[in-house]
Amino acid sequence: MAKILVADDEQLIRKLINDCLSKEGHEVIEAEDGLQALNIFKKNKDIDMALLDIMMPEIDGWEVCRKIRETSGIPVILVSARSQDFDQIMGFESGADDYVTKPFSLTILSKRVDALLKRGASPVQKKESDNITLDSLIINPLAHEVYLDGTAIELTLKEYKILLKLAAHPGRVYTREQLLDEVWGYEYEGDARTVDSHVARLRTKLGDWGVNHIKTIYGTGYKIQE
């Protein structure tokens, strides 16, 4: 099964999650703060998923997630007692795939873990591991790198995921709701207009290429035009 990093400063929470996931056949590695979680992640290249509490000592879960996203696309679930929209938006902006609010059902948590692990191993994602080239734009999904006219383009994780999804299927129109499901996760309850702001920033970063190729389908969504 999967090797899962569980980081939480509450020992009881770690034990409950560990017991639950271990019964499902997963191997769990525990960390009691954010710094320890990052060190464990760096030393264990075969970690398949991370469950991170937000309010941890040393380094908070948001920052741990951002650091993980610099080198890895493994599924990340943020776990927190904070349930405000701002906190959840911060979580998704940091690169998390899902957000679970305490107190939570261990059964539901287990199902979310399984769903994300299956999504991470989907045939579509494996197919997208090959470079995608569109005119002067090159996307390397394996390295999470984007080059335009030979120059590396710095994108946030959400911007990158939107570009990858659109570029993998040129000409196909994706609705805002589809992009929310694919990039933010199907349980994200934020405003669909957040897609518009991310696409606008993505288009700006890609300059003339973005203007010429990332097309808005008014009232619907977006597509890449070759």
PDB file of all heavy atoms in Angstrom, residues 18 20 24 50 53 69 71 83 93 97 112 121 127 130 138 149-150 156 173 195 213 215:
ATOM      1  N   ASN A  18      -2.848   7.100  12.662  1.00  0.00           N
ATOM      2  CA  ASN A  18      -1.927   5.983  12.417  1.00  0.00           C
ATOM      3  C   ASN A  18      -2.661   4.655  12.509  1.00  0.00           C
ATOM      4  O   ASN A  18      -2.544   3.793  11.620  1.00  0.00           O
ATOM      5  CB  ASN A  18      -0.778   6.032  13.434  1.00  0.00           C
ATOM      6  CG  ASN A  18       0.357   5.074  13.083  1.00  0.00           C
ATOM      7  OD1 ASN A  18       0.154   4.077  12.388  1.00  0.00           O
ATOM      8  ND2 ASN A  18       1.544   5.375  13.564  1.00  0.00           N
ATOM      9  N   CYS A  20      -5.838   4.041  12.206  1.00  0.00           N
ATOM     10  CA  CYS A  20      -6.834   3.924  11.136  1.00  0.00           C
ATOM     11  C   CYS A  20      -6.184   3.537   9.809  1.00  0.00           C
ATOM     12  O   CYS A  20      -6.628   2.602   9.138  1.00  0.00           O
ATOM     13  CB  CYS A  20      -7.576   5.257  10.980  1.00  0.00           C
ATOM     14  SG  CYS A  20      -8.697   5.328   9.576  1.00  0.00           S
ATOM     15  N   GLU A  24      -5.706  -0.198   7.205  1.00  0.00           N
ATOM     16  CA  GLU A  24      -5.959  -0.266   5.764  1.00  0.00           C
ATOM     17  C   GLU A  24      -4.734  -0.758   4.997  1.00  0.00           C
ATOM     18  O   GLU A  24      -4.759  -0.844   3.768  1.00  0.00           O
ATOM     19  CB  GLU A  24      -6.371   1.113   5.238  1.00  0.00           C
ATOM     20  CG  GLU A  24      -7.663   1.646   5.830  1.00  0.00           C
ATOM     21  CD  GLU A  24      -8.862   0.784   5.473  1.00  0.00           C
ATOM     22  OE1 GLU A  24      -8.900   0.285   4.337  1.00  0.00           O
ATOM     23  OE2 GLU A  24      -9.752   0.602   6.343  1.00  0.00           O
ATOM     24  N   ALA A  50       1.055  13.000   2.228  1.00  0.00           N
ATOM     25  CA  ALA A  50       1.290  13.678   3.500  1.00  0.00           C
ATOM     26  C   ALA A  50      -0.019  14.212   4.064  1.00  0.00           C
ATOM     27  O   ALA A  50      -0.822  14.798   3.326  1.00  0.00           O
ATOM     28  CB  ALA A  50       2.279  14.823   3.323  1.00  0.00           C
ATOM     29  N   ASP A  53      -1.128  18.780   9.837  1.00  0.00           N
ATOM     30  CA  ASP A  53      -1.872  19.730  10.652  1.00  0.00           C
ATOM     31  C   ASP A  53      -1.379  21.132  10.297  1.00  0.00           C
ATOM     32  O   ASP A  53      -0.201  21.312   9.945  1.00  0.00           O
ATOM     33  CB  ASP A  53      -1.632  19.434  12.134  1.00  0.00           C
ATOM     34  CG  ASP A  53      -2.406  20.379  13.037  1.00  0.00           C
ATOM     35  OD1 ASP A  53      -3.579  20.642  12.747  1.00  0.00           O
ATOM     36  OD2 ASP A  53      -1.821  20.857  14.026  1.00  0.00           O
ATOM     37  N   ARG A  69       5.751  20.985  -2.231  1.00  0.00           N
ATOM     38  CA  ARG A  69       5.363  21.252  -3.616  1.00  0.00           C
ATOM     39  C   ARG A  69       6.524  21.746  -4.484  1.00  0.00           C
ATOM     40  O   ARG A  69       6.447  21.708  -5.708  1.00  0.00           O
ATOM     41  CB  ARG A  69       4.229  22.280  -3.650  1.00  0.00           C
ATOM     42  CG  ARG A  69       2.881  21.683  -3.330  1.00  0.00           C
ATOM     43  CD  ARG A  69       2.414  20.754  -4.454  1.00  0.00           C
ATOM     44  NE  ARG A  69       1.204  20.033  -4.082  1.00  0.00           N
ATOM     45  CZ  ARG A  69       1.183  18.778  -3.687  1.00  0.00           C
ATOM     46  NH1 ARG A  69       2.308  18.083  -3.620  1.00  0.00           N
ATOM     47  NH2 ARG A  69       0.055  18.178  -3.375  1.00  0.00           N
ATOM     48  N   THR A  71       9.262  20.258  -4.829  1.00  0.00           N
ATOM     49  CA  THR A  71       9.952  19.105  -5.422  1.00  0.00           C
ATOM     50  C   THR A  71       9.048  17.911  -5.699  1.00  0.00           C
ATOM     51  O   THR A  71       9.487  16.948  -6.325  1.00  0.00           O
ATOM     52  CB  THR A  71      11.091  18.628  -4.493  1.00  0.00           C
ATOM     53  OG1 THR A  71      10.544  18.265  -3.214  1.00  0.00           O
ATOM     54  CG2 THR A  71      12.123  19.727  -4.293  1.00  0.00           C
ATOM     55  N   SER A  83     -11.760  26.440  10.388  1.00  0.00           N
ATOM     56  CA  SER A  83     -12.739  26.118   9.345  1.00  0.00           C
ATOM     57  C   SER A  83     -13.178  27.330   8.527  1.00  0.00           C
ATOM     58  O   SER A  83     -14.085  27.227   7.711  1.00  0.00           O
ATOM     59  CB  SER A  83     -13.973  25.462   9.971  1.00  0.00           C
ATOM     60  OG  SER A  83     -14.581  26.328  10.911  1.00  0.00           O
ATOM     61  N   GLU A  93      -4.193  27.285  -1.774  1.00  0.00           N
ATOM     62  CA  GLU A  93      -3.181  28.121  -2.414  1.00  0.00           C
ATOM     63  C   GLU A  93      -1.774  27.591  -2.144  1.00  0.00           C
ATOM     64  O   GLU A  93      -0.865  27.768  -2.956  1.00  0.00           O
ATOM     65  CB  GLU A  93      -3.295  29.569  -1.936  1.00  0.00           C
ATOM     66  CG  GLU A  93      -4.518  30.305  -2.450  1.00  0.00           C
ATOM     67  CD  GLU A  93      -4.437  30.627  -3.930  1.00  0.00           C
ATOM     68  OE1 GLU A  93      -3.350  30.494  -4.500  1.00  0.00           O
ATOM     69  OE2 GLU A  93      -5.467  30.998  -4.513  1.00  0.00           O
ATOM     70  N   ASP A  97      -4.229  19.244  -1.719  1.00  0.00           N
ATOM     71  CA  ASP A  97      -5.242  18.602  -2.552  1.00  0.00           C
ATOM     72  C   ASP A  97      -6.583  18.496  -1.849  1.00  0.00           C
ATOM     73  O   ASP A  97      -7.615  18.383  -2.503  1.00  0.00           O
ATOM     74  CB  ASP A  97      -4.775  17.195  -2.952  1.00  0.00           C
ATOM     75  CG  ASP A  97      -3.508  17.236  -3.784  1.00  0.00           C
ATOM     76  OD1 ASP A  97      -3.608  17.499  -4.991  1.00  0.00           O
ATOM     77  OD2 ASP A  97      -2.420  17.011  -3.221  1.00  0.00           O
ATOM     78  N   ARG A 112     -11.042   9.526   1.865  1.00  0.00           N
ATOM     79  CA  ARG A 112     -10.401  10.626   1.144  1.00  0.00           C
ATOM     80  C   ARG A 112      -8.964  10.263   0.783  1.00  0.00           C
ATOM     81  O   ARG A 112      -8.485  10.582  -0.316  1.00  0.00           O
ATOM     82  CB  ARG A 112     -10.424  11.896   1.997  1.00  0.00           C
ATOM     83  CG  ARG A 112     -11.810  12.493   2.168  1.00  0.00           C
ATOM     84  CD  ARG A 112     -11.738  13.841   2.852  1.00  0.00           C
ATOM     85  NE  ARG A 112     -13.045  14.468   2.946  1.00  0.00           N
ATOM     86  CZ  ARG A 112     -13.262  15.701   3.353  1.00  0.00           C
ATOM     87  NH1 ARG A 112     -12.230  16.468   3.692  1.00  0.00           N
ATOM     88  NH2 ARG A 112     -14.473  16.209   3.410  1.00  0.00           N
ATOM     89  N   ALA A 121      -2.512   7.952  -9.080  1.00  0.00           N
ATOM     90  CA  ALA A 121      -1.983   6.874  -9.918  1.00  0.00           C
ATOM     91  C   ALA A 121      -2.808   6.675 -11.169  1.00  0.00           C
ATOM     92  O   ALA A 121      -2.750   5.641 -11.811  1.00  0.00           O
ATOM     93  CB  ALA A 121      -1.948   5.570  -9.111  1.00  0.00           C
ATOM     94  N   LYS A 127       0.088   9.373 -18.357  1.00  0.00           N
ATOM     95  CA  LYS A 127       0.222   9.783 -19.741  1.00  0.00           C
ATOM     96  C   LYS A 127       0.792  11.179 -19.830  1.00  0.00           C
ATOM     97  O   LYS A 127       1.590  11.495 -20.720  1.00  0.00           O
ATOM     98  CB  LYS A 127      -1.144   9.731 -20.437  1.00  0.00           C
ATOM     99  CG  LYS A 127      -1.110  10.134 -21.906  1.00  0.00           C
ATOM    100  CD  LYS A 127      -2.494  10.040 -22.508  1.00  0.00           C
ATOM    101  CE  LYS A 127      -2.485  10.467 -23.968  1.00  0.00           C
ATOM    102  NZ  LYS A 127      -3.836  10.416 -24.568  1.00  0.00           N
ATOM    103  N   ASP A 130       4.851  12.765 -20.096  1.00  0.00           N
ATOM    104  CA  ASP A 130       5.654  13.154 -21.248  1.00  0.00           C
ATOM    105  C   ASP A 130       5.583  14.663 -21.436  1.00  0.00           C
ATOM    106  O   ASP A 130       4.594  15.303 -21.107  1.00  0.00           O
ATOM    107  CB  ASP A 130       5.145  12.459 -22.511  1.00  0.00           C
ATOM    108  CG  ASP A 130       5.277  10.946 -22.419  1.00  0.00           C
ATOM    109  OD1 ASP A 130       6.209  10.487 -21.742  1.00  0.00           O
ATOM    110  OD2 ASP A 130       4.441  10.252 -23.010  1.00  0.00           O
ATOM    111  N   ILE A 138       7.011  24.727 -23.689  1.00  0.00           N
ATOM    112  CA  ILE A 138       7.303  23.334 -23.343  1.00  0.00           C
ATOM    113  C   ILE A 138       6.950  23.115 -21.875  1.00  0.00           C
ATOM    114  O   ILE A 138       7.387  23.875 -21.003  1.00  0.00           O
ATOM    115  CB  ILE A 138       8.783  22.979 -23.577  1.00  0.00           C
ATOM    116  CG1 ILE A 138       9.150  23.137 -25.054  1.00  0.00           C
ATOM    117  CG2 ILE A 138       9.074  21.555 -23.108  1.00  0.00           C
ATOM    118  CD1 ILE A 138      10.617  22.917 -25.339  1.00  0.00           C
ATOM    119  N   ASP A 149      10.075  29.935 -24.980  1.00  0.00           N
ATOM    120  CA  ASP A 149      11.222  30.417 -25.756  1.00  0.00           C
ATOM    121  C   ASP A 149      12.545  30.113 -25.050  1.00  0.00           C
ATOM    122  O   ASP A 149      13.487  30.914 -25.076  1.00  0.00           O
ATOM    123  CB  ASP A 149      11.112  31.930 -26.010  1.00  0.00           C
ATOM    124  CG  ASP A 149       9.935  32.279 -26.907  1.00  0.00           C
ATOM    125  OD1 ASP A 149       9.693  31.535 -27.886  1.00  0.00           O
ATOM    126  OD2 ASP A 149       9.246  33.270 -26.629  1.00  0.00           O
ATOM    127  N   GLY A 150      12.586  28.942 -24.390  1.00  0.00           N
ATOM    128  CA  GLY A 150      13.807  28.510 -23.731  1.00  0.00           C
ATOM    129  C   GLY A 150      14.025  29.075 -22.342  1.00  0.00           C
ATOM    130  O   GLY A 150      15.004  28.730 -21.671  1.00  0.00           O
ATOM    131  N   THR A 156       2.783  29.413  -9.931  1.00  0.00           N
ATOM    132  CA  THR A 156       2.308  28.776  -8.709  1.00  0.00           C
ATOM    133  C   THR A 156       1.793  27.387  -9.062  1.00  0.00           C
ATOM    134  O   THR A 156       1.577  27.068 -10.239  1.00  0.00           O
ATOM    135  CB  THR A 156       1.175  29.582  -8.057  1.00  0.00           C
ATOM    136  OG1 THR A 156       0.022  29.543  -8.921  1.00  0.00           O
ATOM    137  CG2 THR A 156       1.594  31.027  -7.830  1.00  0.00           C
ATOM    138  N   VAL A 173     -12.696  22.513 -24.309  1.00  0.00           N
ATOM    139  CA  VAL A 173     -13.145  23.560 -23.392  1.00  0.00           C
ATOM    140  C   VAL A 173     -13.383  22.952 -22.013  1.00  0.00           C
ATOM    141  O   VAL A 173     -14.100  21.952 -21.874  1.00  0.00           O
ATOM    142  CB  VAL A 173     -14.438  24.229 -23.898  1.00  0.00           C
ATOM    143  CG1 VAL A 173     -14.927  25.263 -22.884  1.00  0.00           C
ATOM    144  CG2 VAL A 173     -14.210  24.878 -25.258  1.00  0.00           C
ATOM    145  N   VAL A 195     -10.971  30.771 -10.348  1.00  0.00           N
ATOM    146  CA  VAL A 195     -10.357  30.248 -11.571  1.00  0.00           C
ATOM    147  C   VAL A 195      -9.997  31.396 -12.498  1.00  0.00           C
ATOM    148  O   VAL A 195      -8.909  31.424 -13.092  1.00  0.00           O
ATOM    149  CB  VAL A 195     -11.303  29.257 -12.290  1.00  0.00           C
ATOM    150  CG1 VAL A 195     -10.701  28.819 -13.626  1.00  0.00           C
ATOM    151  CG2 VAL A 195     -11.571  28.045 -11.414  1.00  0.00           C
ATOM    152  N   HIS A 213      -3.006  32.003 -27.015  1.00  0.00           N
ATOM    153  CA  HIS A 213      -3.356  30.582 -26.919  1.00  0.00           C
ATOM    154  C   HIS A 213      -4.360  30.242 -25.816  1.00  0.00           C
ATOM    155  O   HIS A 213      -5.075  29.244 -25.936  1.00  0.00           O
ATOM    156  CB  HIS A 213      -2.093  29.740 -26.725  1.00  0.00           C
ATOM    157  CG  HIS A 213      -1.189  29.721 -27.920  1.00  0.00           C
ATOM    158  ND1 HIS A 213      -1.357  28.844 -28.965  1.00  0.00           N
ATOM    159  CD2 HIS A 213      -0.124  30.485 -28.233  1.00  0.00           C
ATOM    160  CE1 HIS A 213      -0.418  29.054 -29.872  1.00  0.00           C
ATOM    161  NE2 HIS A 213       0.343  30.053 -29.457  1.00  0.00           N
ATOM    162  N   LYS A 215      -7.632  30.866 -24.381  1.00  0.00           N
ATOM    163  CA  LYS A 215      -8.842  31.546 -24.813  1.00  0.00           C
ATOM    164  C   LYS A 215      -9.969  31.396 -23.795  1.00  0.00           C
ATOM    165  O   LYS A 215     -10.197  30.312 -23.256  1.00  0.00           O
ATOM    166  CB  LYS A 215      -9.301  31.004 -26.166  1.00  0.00           C
ATOM    167  CG  LYS A 215      -8.286  31.214 -27.285  1.00  0.00           C
ATOM    168  CD  LYS A 215      -8.000  32.706 -27.507  1.00  0.00           C
ATOM    169  CE  LYS A 215      -7.018  32.948 -28.637  1.00  0.00           C
ATOM    170  NZ  LYS A 215      -6.749  34.385 -28.842  1.00  0.00           N
TER     171      LYS A 215
END
